[in-house]
Amino acid sequence: MKRRTFMSRVAALVVGVRTLFRPIAAAAEKISHGKFPWIGKKTYWGMAVDIDKCIGCGQCVRACKVENDVPDTPFYFRTWIERYVVRKNGEVEISSPNGGQDPFPPVDQPESVTRSFFVPKLCNHCETSPCVQVCPVGATFKTEDGVILVDKDYCIGCRYCVQACPYGSRYFNPVSMTVDKCTLCYHRITKGLRPACVEVCPTNARIFGNLADEESPVSKFIREHKTSTLKPHLGTSPKLAYKGLDGAVK
Amino acid sequence: MNDGLKGGNTTKYMYRDYRHIVRLAGLLVLGFAGSIALRYAAVPESYYVKGRYRAAWPEKLTSWNMRFAGQEACAECHEDKQQSIGSSKHKTLHCETCHWASAGHAGDPDIEPHRKVKPGGMREFCVTCHQRLTGRPAWFAQIDPADHNPDQPCSDCHQPHHPEMD
């Protein structure tokens, strides 16, 4: 084979292979960060939290437990409230008595407190979620409409996902003997209702809706306010947006 | 291949030469069929229909019983209440924020709402939100229950559906 023929055939092969893999590269681009994953979809559920409005009453935590049969004992939560107390010397105290269901106690030395606020927490329904990646049996997954769910008929209860979640959003349910987590009240939202926590929030600190719909409350809220997400450096691309997120929040 | 030394049945000798390959091919086919059968048996129904999960689960989840009826259901019968509270300082509250999970009542009016908030016995309940507390935003109405007319029911002055004082 002539050197010229060889070179041109190699070039043709490279071009051919590239063309062949272009659709795969395009698909990879689609799930990469920075682009809205709901583009081209009809429904894609999301939530936003307005920290400046949360009063730490705990109604969301109670409502979630009632609606979803979450065991009514401490440390089983699909959603919970944390109170951050930042002192003048920079010390941060985080508390969550019974997930925020019990009253938050008065703080010691209130004169040294420089700022304090409540942060409601729940599953962030990440786009590239570690929990989905580690599940050995494919029991935790992302639905077409963007919600991370646990298939309780299929979960083997290995709790690998509990460890993988950087937000602590999962727990092991001692009744079902499977992992359990926030479903954004999937049984409600698919009927056009709000999740229970959003329904009972007295100050509209939780905003819920369809991210694919520009006119939905959550799309408007995220568009019109300065929001951010928890632990963005982990690259999990959470869909839970926070307004008024303080640097002290973990 | 017959080298002709033994003569006779050429086919027989030829088979002797490549029967190990036939065996190997047989094993390969068996293994392939076996793995397909195994996969068929191990992958649950409706898996891969919509993605790498059982499409049956989200469907099953939607049949979970609701406990909270939702504001729209309340407003079907109690539109007057919704409108009156909508003009008060409690306008951001939904019925079930206080009256609690009442899907049963929404389905059958004879069933009492989960919580009939009774005037007089409300002091404990009101402070869930209105107790002065570190962390609560300054714009939010807060009282110190020990100083703020102790032992007097809140509803003596503040009607819950219209909490502002006239």
Side-chain angles (χ1 to χ4, degrees):
Chain A
M1 196 187 288
K2 273 188 191 170
R3 185 190 169 90
R4 174 186 283 265
T5 328
F6 175 75
M7 292 302 276
S8 62
R9 280 187 191 169
V10 165
L13 191 73
V14 168
V15 171
V17 166
R18 270 187 62 111
T19 321
L20 210 67
F21 282 96
R22 189 159 293 159
I24 298 167
E29 175 95 355
K30 217 173 171 184
I31 56 162
S32 72
H33 314 291
K35 274 190 183 171
F36 293 140
W38 52 85
I39 286 174
K41 297 222 177 194
K42 252 185 103 177
T43 37
Y44 216 71
W45 303 112
M47 201 192 268
V49 170
D50 191 343
I51 289 172
D52 301 331
K53 280 189 180 169
C54 181
I55 57 167
C57 65
Q59 290 292 78
C60 50
V61 185
R62 293 179 200 106
C64 174
K65 288 209 172 197
V66 167
E67 181 74 26
N68 297 297
D69 280 351
V70 176
D72 195 18
T73 34
F75 314 123
Y76 302 122
F77 301 103
R78 287 186 179 194
T79 185
W80 68 100
I81 306 172
E82 293 170 359
R83 179 171 71 178
Y84 285 74
V85 175
V86 186
R87 306 273 180 189
K88 279 173 186 156
N89 62 6
E91 272 176 35
V92 182
E93 290 157 26
I94 310 164
S95 61
S96 184
N98 193 7
Q101 289 188 104
D102 295 346
F104 284 88
V107 295
D108 300 328
Q109 299 166 303
E111 63 282 351
S112 74
V113 175
T114 178
R115 62 186 191 275
S116 179
F117 47 87
F118 297 101
V119 183
K121 293 256 183 102
L122 64 151
C123 171
N124 286 254
H125 295 276
C126 308
E127 261 315 290
T128 47
S129 42
C131 57
V132 172
Q133 289 167 41
V134 300
C135 180
V137 295
T140 193
F141 59 93
K142 187 171 70 191
T143 63
E144 285 179 310
D145 39 16
V147 183
I148 310 288
L149 296 179
V150 179
D151 184 338
K152 286 194 183 174
D153 291 342
Y154 203 43
C155 170
I156 56 170
C158 74
R159 304 164 223 204
Y160 199 4
C161 57
V162 178
Q163 297 204 24
C165 176
Y167 305 102
S169 304
R170 292 170 164 254
Y171 71 97
F172 187 75
N173 188 316
V175 180
S176 66
M177 293 302 273
T178 63
V179 167
D180 192 36
K181 67 175 285 293
C182 163
T183 61
L184 283 177
C185 282
Y186 201 70
H187 58 293
R188 298 175 63 85
I189 61 178
T190 44
K191 294 185 188 78
L193 295 165
R194 287 168 291 273
C197 58
V198 181
E199 181 67 35
V200 301
C201 179
T203 59
N204 288 352
R206 290 171 183 248
I207 301 99
F208 173 79
N210 180 3
L211 293 165
D213 174 11
E214 283 190 1
E215 293 308 308
S216 75
V218 71
S219 300
K220 273 187 160 171
F221 184 84
I222 293 172
R223 196 164 61 235
E224 290 167 5
H225 293 98
K226 288 169 270 192
T227 61
S228 50
T229 56
L230 290 173
K231 303 183 182 177
H233 58 281
L234 295 179
T236 54
S237 306
K239 283 198 288 293
L240 179 63
Y242 282 96
K243 171 181 169 252
L245 194 62
D246 191 273
V249 178
K250 285 172 186 156
Chain B
M1 254 169 274
N2 187 11
D3 52 12
L5 283 176
K6 301 233 162 136
N9 199 334
T10 318
T11 329
K12 194 180 157 195
Y13 284 109
M14 272 181 75
Y15 178 65
R16 193 181 62 183
D17 281 349
Y18 61 71
R19 65 184 167 195
H20 62 289
I21 296 177
V22 173
R23 258 191 243 126
L24 198 65
L27 273 176
L28 271 172
V29 168
L30 225 96
F32 192 64
S35 61
I36 285 179
L38 190 72
R39 187 182 182 281
Y40 193 76
V43 173
E45 217 178 310
S46 84
Y47 209 89
Y48 291 123
V49 171
K50 287 188 170 172
R52 286 178 191 163
Y53 61 91
R54 291 191 325 132
W57 179 255
E59 274 171 38
K60 186 178 173 183
L61 196 58
T62 53
S63 62
W64 181 264
N65 270 342
M66 288 193 301
R67 317 289 154 84
F68 286 86
Q71 184 66 12
E72 292 76 8
C74 303
E76 273 180 31
C77 300
H78 304 290
E79 215 199 323
D80 52 327
K81 292 269 171 60
Q82 182 179 261
Q83 276 181 357
S84 73
I85 202 172
S87 60
S88 79
K89 279 207 165 182
H90 270 169
K91 62 175 176 247
T92 51
L93 275 72
H94 287 166
C95 302
E96 286 172 309
T97 307
C98 302
H99 293 286
W100 213 233
S102 300
H105 173 72
D108 176 5
D110 289 339
I111 300 171
E112 292 265 295
H114 189 95
R115 187 191 285 146
K116 275 246 179 197
V117 185
K118 290 196 177 66
M122 298 226 333
R123 211 172 161 88
E124 299 284 303
F125 183 63
C126 295
V127 294
T128 311
C129 294
H130 291 292
Q131 161 122 41
R132 175 153 290 122
L133 192 62
T134 307
R136 290 214 160 124
W139 57 265
F140 187 76
Q142 299 163 63
I143 55 117
D144 192 342
D147 298 343
H148 190 89
N149 308 315
D151 305 323
Q152 205 178 346
C154 303
S155 53
D156 280 7
C157 304
H158 307 279
Q159 211 282 321
H161 287 184
H162 256 287
E164 51 278 81
M165 311 234 326
D166 297 321

